[in-house]
Amino acid sequence: MCSPLQGQRLAARRFRWHGQRPDLPVAFIPDLHGTKPVTAYAVPSRLRIVAALRRRGFARSVAGTAGFNFATAAAGGLGGIIIARVVGPTVRGEYAAVTAWMSVLLLVGGMGQPTALVYYVAREPLRARDYVATSRAMMLATGMVVLVAGVLLAPVLSHGIPAVTIGYRIAFGTLIVAFVGGSLTASLQGRNLRRWNVVRLVQPVVGLIAIVVLWQLRRLTLDAAMIVIAATMVVQLVWAYRYCRRTGLALGRARVALVRPLLGYGTAQIAALAPATLNTQLDQLVLSQTVSAADLGRYAVAVSISLLPMPLVAAIGNVVLPQLAGQRKVTSATRELQRLSVLASAALATAVLAPLAAVSYWLVPLVFGAAYRGATPLVWVLIPGSVFLACNLVTGDLLRGRGQPAVVAWAEGIAAFFTVALLIALLPLVGVYAAAIASTVSYGVALAVMLRCLSRLSPTPRHAAAGHRRDGHGSIPPCGHDHD
């Protein structure tokens, strides 16, 4: 037994302790007026979530990551504008085709390892360097296979045009560097967001400098642009390895036992990213084989404009994913964080895209040149879909952080069906506009499915990820619950 004063002091100490860890069991708040104690969950949910965000520096991390995302997009965007103005719609279309196919092979060869590493580096910090070493070995093996396949496909994809064939081969030749560098860079996201952001910024900034130099020397061609991508990826790889050594993520040992969890999460991630990439890239992949390069060039410009808010929106998911992955218990505060993240992504995307839609008729020819005026109507069709896509990015990261990449795969797979069906039905009727319509509809479908599944996940403790329990078994059904 203890006195009332001692009991109040003990309760106060327990409350302060649990206030530092909102994911711990419910603590009782002492009532100094003699009434019954109330649970900590009686505190308004918004106050709890705001306090949690302040303690963890969430807002600061999101703002910092958004700043780096904006700088990365600005550097890449300026380089794209220079290429578009210098080479014209035809070569810009060829450049879009090469980079679109490069993205597809990068997805396949990547085996979902970037996101898998973020998850496991954040979740199991004591074995982080071994996870990185194991993933790197996997990337070297699969990267060689994808590299050979890409080089062999180059003449087919280029329709036998020599200059374009060389561009494809340069792009595919850099994939092995991209695979290994992507794993190193992704591991930093799970350990040190600032260094991860710096590494991501290196490639577009160095690339922009190289493009400006080539422009001034009048040497900017399709092949030169692809060589710039290859060289800057090497620079990024070196920078990522340097930071990994400083962060304690390098010099680990590849372990067979870690292949299974990495492959399991990665496979689920590929299942999610494959249809997602199909939704975002299929339009340009199909157009690269069915319409003129000039039409594809104007469509690529319209897409790049509609994607302007994505770097800012993606910062929300970049920060939320490792935070959710590191939590051992999901609380009601987690649900509030999810809701606010999705709403913030929609508001931010709308705030950026609505003014762009209003001024695009004058902005597009002013920035890219008169030859791209035909891209303006495409921008108007794509903008609603871009708002959906912004929410998809964040919602997908929320689901991955909850250990549910298979749910993202399910949603994107359904959306991919709509993409293919609409392209088949509309391409003969409206040409390049079919791709814009299909993209907008499919993004909306994917968002609806993911939000429904996210709302149905129960706030229960989870000890598994990506469909694999601690012993490597188990599965996650579509729209399933977090499981023990």
Side-chain angles (χ1 to χ4, degrees), residues 119-375:
Y119 188 92
Y120 282 110
V121 166
R123 192 171 183 81
E124 301 185 31
L126 296 180
R127 296 200 293 176
R129 66 174 62 192
D130 290 342
Y131 273 112
V132 176
T134 305
S135 178
R136 186 171 63 243
M138 295 165 63
M139 289 297 88
L140 287 171
T142 60
M144 290 301 299
V145 176
V146 175
L147 171 64
V148 172
V151 172
L152 294 176
L153 282 173
V156 178
L157 298 176
S158 65
H159 300 288
I161 303 175
V164 182
T165 301
I166 294 174
Y168 273 108
R169 284 179 171 161
I170 294 172
F172 297 153
T174 64
L175 286 176
I176 191 68
V177 177
F179 295 146
V180 177
S183 292
L184 293 174
T185 302
S187 66
L188 291 169
Q189 183 183 357
R191 176 66 59 85
N192 190 309
L193 275 176
R194 185 186 63 82
R195 288 180 174 174
W196 173 67
N197 282 321
V198 171
V199 170
R200 292 189 303 125
L201 184 60
V202 167
Q203 193 268 338
V205 168
V206 176
L208 175 60
I209 295 172
I211 287 172
V212 170
V213 171
L214 290 172
W215 174 34
Q216 294 300 315
L217 295 176
R218 301 181 184 277
R219 300 284 185 180
L220 187 55
T221 62
L222 173 62
D223 295 345
M226 301 314 302
I227 291 173
V228 167
I229 292 178
T232 54
M233 282 188 173
V234 173
V235 173
Q236 188 177 47
L237 169 63
V238 173
W239 210 294
Y241 181 75
R242 175 169 166 264
Y243 271 171
C244 281
R245 293 202 59 172
R246 290 186 178 184
T247 315
L249 293 172
L251 303 179
R253 180 178 299 177
R255 300 185 182 275
V256 176
L258 301 183
V259 172
R260 188 171 187 177
L262 283 172
L263 190 60
Y265 196 107
T267 300
Q269 179 66 4
I270 287 181
L273 286 179
T277 301
L278 186 65
N279 288 336
T280 56
Q281 298 287 349
L282 182 61
D283 48 3
Q284 297 188 49
L285 296 179
V286 172
L287 293 179
S288 71
Q289 305 298 311
T290 58
V291 303
S292 68
D295 284 341
L296 176 56
R298 284 183 279 269
Y299 180 79
V301 165
V303 170
S304 65
I305 294 173
S306 69
L307 296 180
L308 282 177
M310 300 311 158
L312 300 176
V313 173
I316 301 172
N318 295 152
V319 176
V320 168
L321 193 158
Q323 281 203 2
L324 291 181
Q327 289 184 5
R328 295 289 173 171
K329 184 176 180 62
V330 178
T331 67
S332 59
T334 304
R335 288 185 175 275
E336 185 71 6
L337 175 61
Q338 293 172 174
R339 188 180 69 85
L340 293 177
S341 297
V342 175
L343 291 177
S345 65
L348 185 56
T350 303
V352 174
L353 291 172
L356 278 176
V359 302
S360 59
Y361 181 81
W362 301 276
L363 183 65
V364 171
L366 176 65
V367 174
F368 293 93
Y372 293 92
R373 186 179 295 277

